[in-house]
Amino acid sequence: MKNFKNLLFVALFFISATILGQTKITGTVVDQSGEPLPGASVLVKGTKNGTSTDFDGKFSLTASKSSGKLVVSFIGYTTREVSFTAANANLKPIQLKEDANSLDEIVVVGKGVIDLAGGRKTPVAVSTIKAEEIQKKIGTQDVTMTLVNTPSVYVAGQAGGFGDSRISVRGFAQDNTAYLLNGQPINGMEDGKMYWSNWSGINDIASAVQIQRGLGASKLAISSVGGTTNFVTKTTAKKEGGYFSSAVANNSYFKSTLFYNTGQNEKGFATSVMFSHWQGDGYMDGNKGQGQTYFISFGYTPNETHNFNFLLTGAPQWHDQAFNENISEYLQYGRRYNSNWGTYNGNYQTERRNFYHKPVINLNWDYKINETTNLSTVLYASFGRGGGTGPRGARVNTNSDGQVDYDAIYALNGSIPNGAASNFGSNQGYITRASMNNHSWYGMVSNYEKEFNENLTFNVGLDLRTYYGEHFRIVENFRGLTSWNEGIRMRDQNDNHQTYGGFGTYKFVQTNKNFNANPWSALTNSYKEEDKINYSNDERISYGGVFTQLEYATDNFSTFFQGSLSQQTHQRFDHYQYADSSLINGTSVQSSGTPLPSNIEEGVNSEKVSNVGYNLKTGASYTINDSNKVYANIGVYSRQPYHDAIFPSFNNQISPFTQNEDIFGLELGYSFAVENFTANVNTYRTSWKNRVVSSSAVDSSTGLVQNTLNFGAEQLHQGIEIDFRAKLLNDRLDFKGFTSIGDWEYVGSTVRQVRDEDQNIISTSNNDVDGGKVGDAAQFTLGFGLDYRITDDFSVDFDWRFYDGLYANVGAVKNNLELPSYDIADLGFSYRIKFGEEKDQSLNFRVNVNNLFYEVYLSDMRTAVEAAPGDTTWNGINVNNQGIFGWGRTWNASIRYNF
């Protein structure tokens, strides 16, 4: 009996100790406005013991220790750690703050292929702009302008016309930054470039834009040097609703948009549709434009295992263009001067118009195989049709107003017998031609993810693409002529010009058909070979790659390895300037050089070029304490050259400089976070060898574009970036700031070629570029932004940016020309009226004023002519340089009804 009592005593002792050692913790999780957050995760740090908040944001759980920390998290909010003790177990409301860089709540589909920072714990230099800010601040500008308040980002070229902007990241042009739409690569396959007019609709359909500077984290078998920009579009939501908006702006701009979402029904189906229309005269003279955006998204969630989303979107548009003029001409005719337009019989005419229609289709499928295994796949296709117009033939000089003299052009063409003009001989006339760039592109990105345990995650995937492009010229406007005759000297299969009897052999084309520069008709037009002038060639680009990523992460430490291997093949098909000499059949050529009206069969395929590339990335981060974290990333790339670098002469001759580009990148970073304040410091060093660097300028003697290529260029980019964000005045004031200091230079020497608009080589030379400054992006930037909520429904925001160390965009040169520094200020107002029984409807008003203080500045320059004593200058710049002034003060206002 005594032993039993002793055993009972011991048992009661342990039970009491266990009970006394446990702590029951209660509390409430709320957002910044004090509203409860149902479904928030509450976890005892270092354990799997956790719970979720109820509908009122309340939670209750029992901890096995008398003290410790809770990890509180919710999608779209910054995770917070809160201490507890047995004496203080009934916690005060735990407030979570919105995470500016979080996109988890936005990504509904494609979670495995839409690779966003935060998808892995190892950090990168990243900035995120969500839909609310895009809609507030973008106004009438290109989507690239959403990224201007970001370190090491420079946007230029807006003055060229609607959608003609360019963006550089850490001094690397946009062809060296990866751009993705819901995980789908959208950089041009031929040259990597982005033509933002084709993507003008992203403003309307984006839920968020995230830019990862530097090595990035994209799950692609391709190396991006400047970084990775993810455009995440709206997807079919579970709740019914939509909006209608209308906007007006300077220079007769008008835009209207309608968006509607059906909401998800009981069978898991949902549909979202959107349509918008815009038009305007443009900031520069002769910069008219018009376009539409359509967006259709079908979502289907049959069960918890599968999720599908089908997307169709496009942005057909046309816009007239302004190119860089001599600064002297801007001083003579005004800063909005554009020499590419004029009038005939009082009607507006233009020489340079871009028109394009690029429907994009993609299907996202998320497959949750089990609790630890997922498969995400996107299948996509795009069908681009359109091009750009320009002069061909005997271009008449501009009139006294500096505009195209269409009266003289029509008079010249009217004097040609029977209106049958040509680009040669005594009957030279003038037409407006269209350079067409049509393509069909199909691809797939698929990612398999496996969580081996709570610390180790593995990804492997495929990146497959095939692209067929067609390039040719046609007549867009005869300008009073009835037909156009074209002659081109033929080449043999070895790229030698054919001769017969000491004279050249020519192909002869005569056409009386023209095609209007209309994006809708360009989508369905059929172009016969006999109607193509000047050139006609196609290319096939095929791409296949595999990528993998392994990440190990604990509470305080994470590390990852990412690698890829890919193969590209390129082949060119020329239908115009090649012929088999055996088909000439001894036909002679007159000594006058009159082209042969022969039926020579032409068409020669180039040799197929195949290149293998790879990239290796690794990185690690360490959390020192709750406020401090450090990281480092390193990458080695061997990147295949673009198609245009393989065939730079735009014939079937393969460049002898074709080789993979070698890239080595190193990044170090530090982040600091306390209540109401976060800051980041990022440093980088990127070496890039075996580059092909291109630039272009207008030949003042001909009015035509002249291109310069530098082969074998090496660049060294290094710098530091700092950004911060603070919440002040009870979270009513959001204060952000950034600065970036870069040192971007060329190293060594290059082989330099200058070509005319038809890609004929004008000159070739060796070029010492060592120490030359990389142009087209400001190497020093500084900025800050204030967003103050005066009331819950009324706010004002102000952004200021300063740019210095901006050099001319002339490619690789030894002595580049520095442009004057400048600063820009933007101001905006927002007001909201809520109504409806549940206050779930609203009217939103927005007004933006950009370049508030009317700063006069050069945003871009295509030549680097130094000012000598006695030369006329503007702010120290020789006025014979070709450049373009940035926009002056502009405004836009919008109203939006949410229902």
Side-chain angles (χ1 to χ4, degrees):
M1 187 70 176
K2 182 177 180 180
N3 291 334
F4 175 76
K5 289 181 178 179
N6 289 337
L7 182 62
L8 181 61
F9 176 77
V10 171
L12 290 173
F13 174 81
F14 279 108
I15 293 172
S16 300
T18 301
I19 294 173
L20 292 174
Q22 291 181 337
T23 304
K24 185 177 181 181
I25 310 166
T26 59
T28 305
V29 181
V30 299
D31 64 13
Q32 290 171 259
S33 63
E35 294 295 317
L37 289 174
S41 171
V42 182
L43 184 72
V44 179
K45 187 175 182 179
T47 74
K48 295 184 177 181
N49 178 24
T51 186
S52 298
T53 58
D54 62 16
F55 182 79
D56 296 318
K58 298 182 181 297
F59 69 90
S60 174
L61 63 81
T62 301
S64 60
K65 299 179 181 179
S66 60
S67 64
K69 289 185 176 182
L70 298 181
V71 179
V72 185
S73 60
F74 189 71
I75 292 175
Y77 290 79
T78 302
T79 298
R80 184 178 172 186
E81 294 187 1
V82 179
S83 299
F84 69 87
T85 63
N88 184 27
N90 186 14
L91 303 177
K92 295 180 180 179
I94 302 170
Q95 186 182 71
L96 297 185
K97 296 185 177 181
E98 182 181 353
D99 184 353
N101 288 321
S102 173
L103 291 178
D104 289 342
E105 80 280 15
I106 290 174
V107 180
V108 179
V109 296
K111 292 181 181 291
V113 294
I114 304 177
D115 197 359
L116 302 167
R120 60 175 168 84
K121 295 184 180 180
T122 306
V124 294
V126 62
S127 300
T128 301
I129 301 92
K130 296 187 179 181
E132 181 181 3
E133 185 172 355
I134 295 172
Q135 295 298 327
K136 280 172 58 175
K137 297 187 177 182
I138 194 65
T140 61
Q141 304 172 105
D142 292 345
V143 70
T144 53
M145 295 301 292
T146 61
L147 302 172
V148 294
N149 295 310
T150 304
S152 296
V153 171
Y154 185 75
V155 179
Q158 280 197 108
F162 291 104
D164 280 342
S165 65
R166 303 186 313 281
I167 184 170
S168 296
V169 182
R170 291 183 174 175
F172 297 111
Q174 55 194 18
D175 55 332
N176 302 302
T177 299
Y179 293 91
L180 309 174
L181 178 70
N182 288 353
Q184 168 188 337
I186 58 176
N187 293 74
M189 284 284 284
E190 300 163 343
D191 52 16
K193 294 181 180 179
M194 288 294 298
Y195 300 94
W196 293 107
S197 57
N198 301 339
W199 304 99
S200 60
I202 285 182
N203 296 355
D204 301 309
I205 66 177
S207 292
V209 179
Q210 184 185 86
I211 181 168
Q212 303 165 16
R213 302 184 301 278
L215 300 179
S218 63
K219 293 173 184 169
L220 286 176
I222 193 168
S223 304
S224 58
V225 186
T228 304
T229 302
N230 287 282
F231 297 101
V232 183
T233 70
K234 301 178 187 295
T235 51
T236 46
K238 294 183 178 181
K239 183 180 178 181
E240 182 182 9
Y243 69 86
F244 172 76
S245 67
S246 183
V248 294
N250 52 277
N251 300 104
S252 304
Y253 182 89
F254 172 79
K255 180 178 181 179
S256 57
T257 305
L258 176 64
F259 175 84
Y260 175 67
N261 187 82
T262 64
Q264 192 176 82
N265 63 24
E266 295 179 355
K267 294 183 179 180
F269 288 96
T271 301
S272 295
V273 295
M274 189 214 69
F275 181 80
S276 70
H277 173 86
W278 65 268
Q279 62 187 56
D281 290 343
Y283 181 81
M284 302 291 285
D285 294 336
N287 255 193
K288 296 177 182 294
Q290 184 181 112
Q292 296 79 37
T293 300
Y294 55 86
F295 169 84
I296 304 172
S297 179
F298 298 100
Y300 177 48
T301 307
N303 49 52
E304 295 182 356
T305 302
H306 299 281
N307 188 17
F308 299 91
N309 197 90
F310 173 81
L311 171 68
L312 169 64
T313 187
Q317 59 78 38
W318 62 262
H319 70 277
D320 300 338
Q321 297 178 292
F323 294 162
N324 293 28
E325 310 280 356
N326 285 356
I327 297 174
S328 59
E329 293 176 301
Y330 291 118
L331 299 179
Q332 179 180 359
Y333 299 115
R335 289 192 299 273
R336 297 190 183 188
Y337 171 64
N338 173 15
S339 65
N340 294 332
W341 70 284
T343 59
Y344 176 63
N345 289 337
N347 296 317
Y348 171 84
Q349 306 283 319
T350 183
E351 204 171 52
R352 300 282 185 174
R353 171 168 292 180
N354 176 280
F355 60 103
Y356 217 78
H357 190 175
K358 185 174 183 175
V360 175
I361 303 170
N362 70 46
L363 174 64
N364 274 278
W365 171 40
D366 289 324
Y367 175 29
K368 185 177 182 180
I369 300 173
N370 54 47
E371 291 299 321
T372 62
T373 310
N374 298 280
L375 178 67
S376 293
T377 301
V378 56
L379 302 173
Y380 62 88
S382 67
F383 309 95
R385 303 291 187 268
T389 67
R392 186 153 184 82
R395 187 181 193 271
V396 179
N397 292 331
T398 54
N399 58 27
S400 58
D401 295 327
Q403 297 172 338
V404 179
D405 193 341
Y406 281 102
D407 291 327
I409 286 173
Y410 278 87
L412 168 68
N413 287 348
S415 68
I416 295 174
N418 302 318
S422 64
N423 70 325
F424 57 88
S426 59
N427 289 332
Q428 287 193 54
Y430 170 97
I431 60 168
T432 302
R433 51 81 181 161
S435 299
M436 303 296 292
N437 184 353
N438 297 347
H439 77 254
S440 299
W441 184 357
Y442 307 91
M444 178 190 79
V445 178
S446 185
N447 179 65
Y448 172 85
E449 181 179 87
K450 174 67 177 180
E451 294 183 12
F452 292 115
N453 53 51
E454 63 181 12
N455 302 119
L456 192 63
T457 304
F458 172 70
N459 287 270
V460 65
L462 291 173
D463 183 359
L464 305 176
R465 316 174 199 178
T466 182
Y467 174 98
Y468 194 87
E470 300 175 325
H471 305 273
F472 53 89
R473 277 183 173 171
I474 52 177
V475 177
E476 193 273 333
N477 194 319
F478 281 108
R479 302 297 178 188
L481 297 172
T482 58
S483 66
W484 180 256
N485 303 315
E486 187 87 17
I488 186 169
R489 191 175 181 186
M490 303 300 291
R491 297 172 180 265
D492 62 23
Q493 295 188 25
N494 296 317
D495 280 302
N496 298 313
H497 280 121
Q498 292 186 357
T499 61
Y500 183 83
F503 300 102
T505 300
Y506 287 76
K507 178 181 178 179
F508 176 80
V509 171
Q510 183 178 39
T511 181
N512 57 6
K513 186 170 184 178
N514 68 301
F515 300 84
N516 292 328
N518 181 289
W520 287 98
S521 60
L523 190 64
T524 56
N525 280 341
S526 176
Y527 304 96
K528 297 180 180 179
E529 201 65 36
E530 57 262 31
D531 292 320
K532 299 175 182 178
I533 63 173
N534 194 215
Y535 61 80
S536 174
N537 56 79
D538 307 341
E539 74 264 336
R540 167 76 68 186
I541 305 173
S542 297
Y543 179 99
V546 294
F547 55 86
T548 186
Q549 178 178 290
L550 183 67
E551 181 182 39
Y552 175 79
T554 64
D555 288 339
N556 296 320
F557 175 77
S558 69
T559 184
F560 81 101
F561 169 80
Q562 190 176 50
S564 72
L565 182 68
S566 63
Q567 183 177 39
Q568 296 181 11
T569 60
H570 300 259
Q571 191 171 19
R572 189 176 185 276
F573 316 103
D574 200 302
H575 309 295
Y576 202 89
Q577 59 179 336
Y578 287 86
D580 188 336
S581 57
S582 65
L583 297 177
I584 299 178
N585 296 326
T587 307
S588 64
V589 182
Q590 298 178 17
S591 59
S592 63
T594 303
L596 287 169
S598 62
N599 57 350
I600 298 175
E601 295 182 13
E602 64 283 327
V604 174
N605 301 343
S606 77
E607 177 186 346
K608 184 179 289 187
V609 178
S610 181
N611 294 304
V612 175
Y614 65 86
N615 72 70
L616 302 172
K617 307 176 189 177
T618 187
S621 69
Y622 178 67
T623 301
I624 301 171
N625 53 40
D626 292 346
S627 300
N628 299 276
K629 180 183 290 186
V630 294
Y631 79 90
N633 292 327
I634 189 170
V636 178
Y637 309 154
S638 178
R639 194 177 84 166
Q640 301 98 320
Y642 285 120
H643 183 88
D644 286 357
I646 297 173
F647 300 100
S649 298
F650 291 85
N651 57 26
N652 286 353
Q653 185 177 2
I654 298 170
S655 169
F657 304 101
T658 295
Q659 57 183 318
N660 280 18
E661 300 169 0
D662 298 321
I663 302 149
F664 175 77
L666 177 66
E667 297 175 340
L668 299 173
Y670 165 74
S671 62
F672 175 77
V674 293
E675 188 80 9
N676 295 323
F677 181 80
T678 60
N680 300 283
V681 180
N682 299 288
T683 63
Y684 62 91
R685 185 183 191 277
T686 304
S687 170
W688 192 0
K689 301 179 180 180
N690 305 327
R691 287 212 60 204
V692 178
V693 179
S694 62
S695 61
S696 61
V698 176
D699 186 339
S700 58
S701 63
T702 64
L704 301 177
V705 175
Q706 194 173 88
N707 302 292
T708 301
L709 294 172
N710 282 275
F711 300 96
E714 178 181 350
Q715 292 177 219
L716 180 62
H717 292 225
Q718 49 194 352
I720 183 171
E721 303 162 341
I722 302 172
D723 64 90
F724 69 86
R725 183 174 185 176
K727 293 282 189 178
L728 306 172
L729 303 179
N730 295 321
D731 289 343
R732 288 197 172 273
L733 177 63
D734 192 357
F735 179 37
K736 296 179 290 186
F738 69 90
T739 187
S740 58
I741 305 170
D743 182 17
W744 312 327
E745 294 185 345
Y746 292 101
V747 179
S749 61
T750 66
V751 175
R752 183 184 182 96
Q753 285 187 350
V754 180
R755 305 167 184 270
D756 63 19
E757 193 171 58
D758 293 331
Q759 300 305 321
N760 298 307
I761 297 177
I762 299 173
S763 65
T764 301
S765 61
N766 291 321
N767 188 29
D768 176 20
V769 300
D770 195 56
K773 292 294 186 180
V774 175
D776 203 32
Q779 302 203 16
F780 176 79
T781 63
L782 176 69
F784 70 86
L786 299 169
D787 194 332
Y788 181 57
R789 288 190 300 119
I790 301 173
T791 70
D792 289 343
D793 298 313
F794 179 55
S795 66
V796 58
D797 52 84
F798 177 83
D799 292 295
W800 176 83
R801 302 178 298 278
F802 174 77
Y803 300 102
D804 194 19
L806 173 62
Y807 293 84
N809 182 20
V810 291
V813 296
K814 178 80 170 180
N815 299 306
N816 205 346
L817 186 63
E818 186 174 3
L819 279 64
S821 59
Y822 66 94
D823 65 285
I824 297 290
D826 300 327
L827 180 66
F829 300 91
S830 298
Y831 182 65
R832 178 181 61 186
I833 302 174
K834 289 184 176 181
F835 53 93
E837 293 183 3
E838 300 180 2
K839 299 294 183 181
D840 56 352
Q841 301 177 52
S842 66
L843 276 177
N844 293 49
F845 301 89
R846 176 70 184 180
V847 175
N848 288 306
V849 181
N850 301 111
N851 195 0
L852 179 65
F853 302 118
Y854 210 102
E855 178 83 352
V856 178
Y857 64 99
L858 285 167
S859 68
D860 178 270
M861 200 156 67
R862 295 299 181 93
T863 58
V865 180
E866 293 283 351
D871 288 343
T872 303
T873 63
W874 179 87
N875 279 8
I877 301 296
N878 191 320
V879 297
N880 291 321
N881 279 293
Q882 294 175 16
I884 200 162
F885 284 92
W887 287 5
R889 185 185 299 114
T890 60
W891 62 270
N892 62 82
S894 64
I895 181 172
R896 173 167 165 161
Y897 168 51
N898 295 311
F899 57 89

